[in-house]
Coordinates of all heavy atoms in Angstrom, one line a residue:
Chain A
R3 N -184.4 -10.0 -77.7 CA -184.8 -10.1 -76.3 C -183.6 -10.3 -75.4 O -183.5 -9.8 -74.4 CB -185.8 -11.3 -76.2 CG -186.6 -11.2 -75.0 CD -187.8 -12.0 -75.1 NE -187.8 -13.0 -74.0 CZ -187.9 -14.3 -74.2 NH1 -188.0 -14.8 -75.4 NH2 -187.9 -15.1 -73.2
S17 N -176.9 -1.1 -60.2 CA -177.7 -0.4 -59.2 C -177.6 -1.1 -57.8 O -177.4 -0.5 -56.8 CB -179.2 -0.4 -59.5 OG -179.4 0.2 -60.8
A21 N -176.1 0.4 -54.5 CA -177.0 0.5 -53.4 C -176.4 -0.1 -52.1 O -176.5 0.4 -51.0 CB -178.4 -0.1 -53.7
G24 N -170.8 1.6 -50.4 CA -170.8 3.0 -50.3 C -171.6 3.6 -49.2 O -172.0 4.7 -49.3
S25 N -171.7 2.9 -48.1 CA -172.5 3.5 -47.0 C -171.5 4.3 -46.2 O -170.3 4.1 -46.1 CB -173.1 2.4 -46.1 OG -172.1 1.4 -45.8
D27 N -170.2 7.3 -46.5 CA -169.1 8.1 -47.0 C -169.5 9.5 -47.3 O -169.0 10.2 -48.1 CB -168.4 7.4 -48.2 CG -169.4 7.3 -49.3 OD1 -170.6 7.4 -49.1 OD2 -169.0 7.0 -50.5
N28 N -170.6 9.9 -46.6 CA -171.1 11.2 -47.0 C -171.0 12.2 -45.8 O -171.8 13.0 -45.6 CB -172.6 11.1 -47.5 CG -173.4 10.3 -46.5 OD1 -172.9 9.6 -45.7 ND2 -174.7 10.4 -46.7
S31 N -173.7 13.4 -42.4 CA -175.1 13.8 -42.5 C -176.0 12.6 -42.2 O -177.2 12.7 -42.0 CB -175.4 14.4 -43.9 OG -175.3 13.4 -44.8
S34 N -177.3 11.2 -36.3 CA -178.6 11.5 -35.8 C -179.1 12.9 -36.2 O -180.3 13.1 -36.4 CB -178.6 11.4 -34.3 OG -178.0 12.6 -33.8
D95 N -187.2 23.5 -51.5 CA -186.5 22.2 -51.8 C -185.4 22.4 -52.8 O -184.3 21.8 -52.7 CB -187.5 21.1 -52.2 CG -188.4 20.7 -51.1 OD1 -188.0 20.7 -49.9 OD2 -189.6 20.5 -51.4
F98 N -182.4 24.1 -51.4 CA -181.6 23.2 -50.6 C -180.7 22.4 -51.5 O -179.5 22.2 -51.3 CB -182.4 22.3 -49.8 CG -181.7 21.3 -49.0 CD1 -181.1 21.7 -47.8 CD2 -181.5 20.0 -49.4 CE1 -180.3 20.8 -47.0 CE2 -180.7 19.1 -48.7 CZ -180.2 19.5 -47.5
K99 N -181.3 21.9 -52.6 CA -180.5 21.0 -53.5 C -179.4 21.8 -54.2 O -178.3 21.3 -54.4 CB -181.4 20.4 -54.6 CG -182.3 19.3 -54.1 CD -182.8 18.4 -55.2 CE -183.2 17.1 -54.6 NZ -183.5 16.1 -55.6
R118 N -182.7 22.8 -42.5 CA -182.0 21.7 -43.2 C -180.6 22.1 -43.6 O -179.6 21.4 -43.5 CB -182.8 21.4 -44.5 CG -183.8 20.3 -44.3 CD -184.5 20.0 -45.7 NE -185.6 20.9 -46.0 CZ -186.2 20.8 -47.2 NH1 -185.8 20.0 -48.1 NH2 -187.2 21.6 -47.5
D199 N -200.7 23.7 -53.3 CA -200.3 22.4 -53.7 C -198.9 22.0 -53.2 O -198.0 22.0 -54.0 CB -200.5 22.2 -55.2 CG -200.4 20.8 -55.6 OD1 -200.3 19.9 -54.7 OD2 -200.4 20.5 -56.8
G246 N -211.7 23.3 -55.9 CA -211.8 23.5 -57.3 C -210.5 23.4 -58.0 O -210.4 22.9 -59.1
Y248 N -206.1 23.1 -57.0 CA -204.9 23.3 -56.1 C -203.9 24.3 -56.9 O -203.9 24.2 -58.1 CB -204.2 22.0 -55.9 CG -204.9 21.1 -54.9 CD1 -205.8 20.1 -55.4 CD2 -204.7 21.2 -53.5 CE1 -206.4 19.3 -54.5 CE2 -205.3 20.4 -52.7 CZ -206.2 19.4 -53.1 OH -206.8 18.6 -52.3
D374 N -187.2 15.6 -34.2 CA -187.2 16.2 -32.9 C -188.1 17.4 -32.9 O -188.0 18.4 -33.6 CB -185.8 16.6 -32.4 CG -185.1 17.7 -33.3 OD1 -185.6 17.8 -34.5 OD2 -184.2 18.3 -32.9
K390 N -194.4 14.4 -46.9 CA -194.4 14.2 -48.4 C -195.4 13.1 -48.8 O -196.2 13.2 -49.7 CB -193.0 14.0 -48.8 CG -192.7 13.8 -50.3 CD -192.7 15.0 -51.0 CE -193.7 14.9 -52.1 NZ -193.9 16.0 -53.0
T391 N -195.2 11.9 -48.1 CA -196.0 10.7 -48.4 C -197.5 11.0 -48.1 O -198.4 10.7 -48.8 CB -195.5 9.5 -47.6 OG1 -194.1 9.4 -47.8 CG2 -196.2 8.3 -48.0
D394 N -198.9 13.0 -50.8 CA -199.2 12.1 -51.9 C -200.5 11.4 -51.8 O -201.3 11.2 -52.7 CB -198.1 11.1 -52.1 CG -196.9 11.8 -52.9 OD1 -197.1 12.8 -53.5 OD2 -195.8 11.2 -52.8
E395 N -200.8 11.0 -50.5 CA -202.0 10.2 -50.3 C -203.2 11.2 -50.4 O -204.3 10.8 -50.9 CB -202.0 9.6 -48.8 CG -201.1 8.4 -48.8 CD -200.7 8.0 -47.4 OE1 -201.1 8.6 -46.4 OE2 -199.9 7.1 -47.3
R397 N -203.4 13.8 -52.4 CA -203.5 14.2 -53.8 C -203.8 13.0 -54.7 O -204.1 13.2 -55.9 CB -202.3 14.9 -54.2 CG -202.0 16.2 -53.5 CD -203.0 17.3 -53.9 NE -202.6 17.9 -55.1 CZ -203.2 17.8 -56.3 NH1 -204.2 17.0 -56.4 NH2 -202.8 18.4 -57.4
A398 N -203.7 11.8 -54.2 CA -204.0 10.6 -55.0 C -205.5 10.4 -55.2 O -205.9 9.8 -56.2 CB -203.4 9.4 -54.4
Chain B
A54 N -178.6 3.7 -63.5 CA -178.3 2.8 -62.4 C -178.2 3.6 -61.1 O -178.7 3.1 -60.0 CB -176.9 2.2 -62.7
W62 N -181.8 3.4 -51.1 CA -181.1 4.2 -50.0 C -182.1 4.8 -49.1 O -183.3 4.8 -49.4 CB -180.2 5.2 -50.7 CG -179.0 4.6 -51.3 CD1 -178.4 3.4 -51.0 CD2 -178.1 5.2 -52.3 NE1 -177.3 3.2 -51.7 CE2 -177.1 4.3 -52.5 CE3 -178.2 6.4 -53.0 CZ2 -176.1 4.5 -53.5 CZ3 -177.2 6.7 -53.9 CH2 -176.1 5.7 -54.1
D65 N -181.9 11.2 -44.9 CA -181.8 11.7 -43.5 C -183.0 12.6 -43.2 O -183.2 13.6 -43.9 CB -180.5 12.5 -43.4 CG -180.2 12.9 -42.0 OD1 -180.9 13.8 -41.5 OD2 -179.3 12.4 -41.4
F67 N -183.3 14.8 -41.0 CA -183.0 16.2 -40.6 C -182.6 17.1 -41.7 O -182.9 18.2 -41.8 CB -181.9 16.2 -39.5 CG -182.4 15.7 -38.2 CD1 -182.3 14.4 -37.8 CD2 -183.0 16.6 -37.3 CE1 -182.8 14.0 -36.6 CE2 -183.5 16.2 -36.1 CZ -183.4 14.9 -35.7
T68 N -181.8 16.4 -42.6 CA -181.1 17.3 -43.7 C -181.7 17.0 -45.0 O -181.3 17.6 -46.0 CB -179.6 17.0 -43.7 OG1 -179.4 15.7 -44.1 CG2 -179.0 17.2 -42.3
S69 N -182.6 16.0 -45.2 CA -183.1 15.6 -46.5 C -182.0 15.1 -47.4 O -182.2 15.0 -48.6 CB -183.9 16.7 -47.2 OG -184.9 17.1 -46.4
Q70 N -180.8 14.7 -46.9 CA -179.8 14.2 -47.8 C -179.8 12.7 -47.9 O -180.3 12.1 -47.0 CB -178.4 14.7 -47.4 CG -178.2 16.2 -47.7 CD -176.8 16.7 -47.4 OE1 -176.3 16.3 -46.4 NE2 -176.3 17.6 -48.2
L71 N -179.4 12.2 -49.0 CA -179.3 10.7 -49.2 C -178.3 10.1 -48.2 O -177.2 10.6 -48.0 CB -178.9 10.4 -50.6 CG -180.0 10.5 -51.7 CD1 -179.4 10.1 -53.0 CD2 -181.2 9.6 -51.3
R73 N -176.5 6.5 -47.8 CA -176.3 5.3 -48.6 C -176.3 4.1 -47.7 O -175.3 3.4 -47.5 CB -175.0 5.5 -49.4 CG -175.1 6.5 -50.4 CD -173.8 6.9 -51.1 NE -174.0 8.1 -51.8 CZ -173.0 8.9 -52.1 NH1 -171.8 8.7 -51.7 NH2 -173.3 10.0 -52.8
Q74 N -177.4 3.8 -47.1 CA -177.6 2.5 -46.4 C -178.7 1.8 -47.0 O -179.8 2.4 -47.2 CB -177.8 2.9 -44.9 CG -176.6 3.1 -44.2 CD -176.8 3.8 -42.8 OE1 -177.9 4.3 -42.5 NE2 -175.7 3.9 -42.1
E82 N -193.0 0.6 -49.7 CA -194.0 1.7 -49.6 C -194.7 1.9 -51.0 O -195.9 2.1 -51.0 CB -193.2 2.9 -49.2 CG -194.0 4.2 -49.1 CD -194.8 4.4 -47.8 OE1 -194.5 3.6 -46.9 OE2 -195.7 5.2 -47.8
N86 N -198.5 1.2 -50.3 CA -199.3 2.4 -49.9 C -200.4 2.6 -51.0 O -200.1 2.7 -52.2 CB -198.4 3.6 -49.8 CG -199.2 4.8 -49.3 OD1 -200.3 5.0 -49.6 ND2 -198.5 5.6 -48.5
A88 N -202.0 5.0 -51.9 CA -201.8 6.2 -52.7 C -201.0 6.0 -54.0 O -201.4 6.5 -55.0 CB -201.1 7.3 -51.9
Y89 N -200.0 5.2 -53.8 CA -199.2 4.9 -55.0 C -199.8 3.8 -55.9 O -199.6 3.8 -57.1 CB -197.7 4.6 -54.6 CG -197.2 5.7 -53.7 CD1 -196.8 5.5 -52.4 CD2 -197.0 6.9 -54.3 CE1 -196.4 6.5 -51.6 CE2 -196.5 8.0 -53.5 CZ -196.2 7.8 -52.2 OH -195.8 8.8 -51.4
R95 N -204.3 3.6 -62.1 CA -204.9 4.7 -62.9 C -204.0 5.0 -64.1 O -204.5 5.2 -65.2 CB -205.2 5.9 -62.0 CG -205.7 7.1 -62.8 CD -205.6 8.3 -61.8 NE -206.4 8.1 -60.6 CZ -206.3 8.9 -59.5 NH1 -205.4 9.8 -59.5 NH2 -207.0 8.6 -58.5
R251 N -200.7 17.8 -66.0 CA -200.7 19.0 -65.2 C -201.6 20.1 -65.8 O -202.3 20.8 -65.1 CB -199.3 19.5 -65.0 CG -199.1 20.5 -63.9 CD -198.6 19.8 -62.7 NE -199.2 20.5 -61.6 CZ -199.0 20.1 -60.3 NH1 -198.3 19.1 -60.1 NH2 -199.5 20.8 -59.3
N256 N -206.0 19.0 -61.0 CA -206.2 18.3 -59.8 C -206.0 16.8 -59.9 O -206.4 16.1 -59.0 CB -207.6 18.6 -59.2 CG -207.7 20.0 -58.8 OD1 -206.7 20.7 -58.7 ND2 -208.9 20.5 -58.5
T258 N -203.8 13.3 -60.5 CA -202.4 12.8 -60.2 C -202.1 11.5 -61.0 O -202.9 10.6 -60.9 CB -202.2 12.6 -58.7 OG1 -202.6 13.8 -58.0 CG2 -200.8 12.3 -58.4
N267 N -191.6 13.9 -55.8 CA -190.7 13.4 -54.8 C -189.2 13.6 -55.1 O -188.4 13.8 -54.2 CB -190.9 11.8 -54.7 CG -192.1 11.6 -53.7 OD1 -192.0 11.8 -52.6 ND2 -193.2 11.1 -54.3
I268 N -188.9 13.7 -56.4 CA -187.5 13.8 -56.8 C -187.2 15.3 -57.0 O -186.4 15.9 -56.3 CB -187.1 13.0 -58.0 CG1 -187.2 11.5 -57.6 CG2 -185.7 13.3 -58.4 CD1 -186.8 10.6 -58.7
G270 N -189.1 18.0 -56.7 CA -189.5 18.8 -55.6 C -188.8 18.6 -54.3 O -189.2 19.1 -53.3
S296 N -192.0 -8.8 -77.3 CA -190.9 -9.5 -78.0 C -191.2 -11.0 -78.0 O -190.8 -11.8 -78.9 CB -189.5 -9.3 -77.4 OG -189.4 -10.0 -76.2

Side-chain angles (χ1 to χ4, degrees):
Chain A
R3 200 162 122 234
S17 302
S25 52
D27 59 348
N28 51 345
S31 66
S34 82
D95 293 321
F98 179 81
K99 287 203 157 186
R118 272 185 274 172
D199 191 4
Y248 287 94
D374 60 342
K390 179 80 234 177
T391 306
D394 279 342
E395 284 163 5
R397 295 289 278 108
Chain B
W62 287 339
D65 186 291
F67 286 93
T68 66
S69 299
Q70 284 185 324
L71 280 181
R73 291 172 195 153
Q74 277 163 350
E82 175 84 14
N86 189 321
Y89 303 115
R95 175 192 301 164
R251 193 98 216 178
N256 290 351
T258 307
N267 275 294
I268 294 180
S296 76

